[in-house]
Amino acid sequence: MTAPIFSNHGCRLNAYETKAMEELAASAGLDNAVVINTCAVTAEAVRKARQDIRKLRRSYPDAKLIVTGCAAQTEPDTFANMEEVDAVIGNTEKMQASTWAGLAGDFGTEPVQVDDIMSVTETAGHLIDGFGTRSRAYVQVQNGCDHRCTFCIIPYGRGNSRSVPAGVVVDQIKRLVDRGFNEVVLTGVDLTSWGADLPSEPKLGDLVIRILKLVPDLPRLRISSIDSIEVDEALMQAIATEARLMPHLHLSLQHGDDLTLKRMKRRHLRDDAIRFAQEARRLRPDMTFGADIIAGFPTETEAHFGNSLKLVEDCDLTWLHVFPYSPRPGTPAARMPQVHGGAIKERAAQLRAAGARQVARHLSAQVGRTHQVLMENPHMGRTAQFTETTFRTPQPEGQIVTATITNHTETQLQV
């Protein structure tokens, strides 16, 4: 073994940062090492990270084993006390070239390098070109979160919200387009908070419009998960007028009951979510929505859950990410009265079934329609609404092709 082995857990942003760490480690000359980038979103995520560490130690008994990521940031002692682990580095340290130089040299003088993430005020200096598929690149424009939802540990792993300046973002996207990427996705921990820490406090919509104006050769711009209550007027204008902004939004909704939303310390109510979905679809009739929804949040009754289940149709959601609630130590929700595990499992199943019905409805409505499909590989691409589409005959990877839908499976369109 020479080149480091990287194991990524958790969100798309973690995957982005794992790619950045690969480049930092290579530049530093680190070899014979295993790096685990952990997730802290649930207690189960931490358990899986520990399990992966033990497995990788058995597979690579002589390698340096380095643990980083959100779980390493929030509970460094948990990993430092594992006999399999040689070093623990925090979320700030993992993006610094000096950290990797130390790991590649004498392996550093401190086995635990985790500073106070809340003291970090600058955006990370890493910007990588081309993470993703050969057709789609992801650009991190924001990190951290200023909000304190009662179920979430992530602010303590990521710190407060920090934004990448618009000019830096535009320059990176120009490089990506020059390299042939046909789609760019803007990512962040709390994307709609972008700009609040920058001079004149621009909004996410201002960034979107600036990108589309200054990078006219970019065919498709996509934005990842957003908090609908924070969507600004400029972003709504872009949704209405910019064809290159893809008609697919993933909404951080979490629940459909007002009392539960208040106990979660969310910033919106049920009617806010419905109103946003209706307005976005009025401005862009081909808009589709994904959404995060938690099943079995503490104190959730059958009536509360019923409101959440009904929200799927009220907002006409298509792509659901359903999370069965599990208590995360260190969060207020973990101290609330818990819902029985069997009820959580059943409610999650009902939500997934509702999501499957919505997907079936969406797929059926596309038969006979013509779409612009960005090819991720020779036989599969995605429409502007992010719907997987399969082709019998090979298509040029990375290109946007025009296709008429002839059929569909339970999860994909067919050409």
Side-chain angles (χ1 to χ4, degrees), residues 79-102:
F79 300 98
N81 291 332
M82 294 180 69
E83 61 181 17
E84 296 88 354
V85 174
D86 295 306
V88 180
I89 60 176
N91 267 338
T92 299
E93 291 76 14
K94 75 181 183 183
M95 291 295 112
Q96 296 173 346
S98 58
T99 300
W100 296 95

Side-chain angles (χ1 to χ4, degrees), residues 159-201:
N160 292 316
S161 181
R162 291 99 68 199
S163 308
V164 179
V168 176
V169 175
V170 168
D171 287 345
Q172 187 186 13
I173 293 175
K174 286 179 178 178
R175 291 197 301 271
L176 292 167
V177 172
D178 288 343
R179 292 181 55 192
F181 286 91
N182 281 319
E183 183 173 297
V184 165
V185 185
L186 305 182
T187 68
V189 174
D190 182 27
L191 197 57
T192 38
S193 70
W194 180 89
D197 57 323
L198 296 176
S200 76
E201 299 184 4

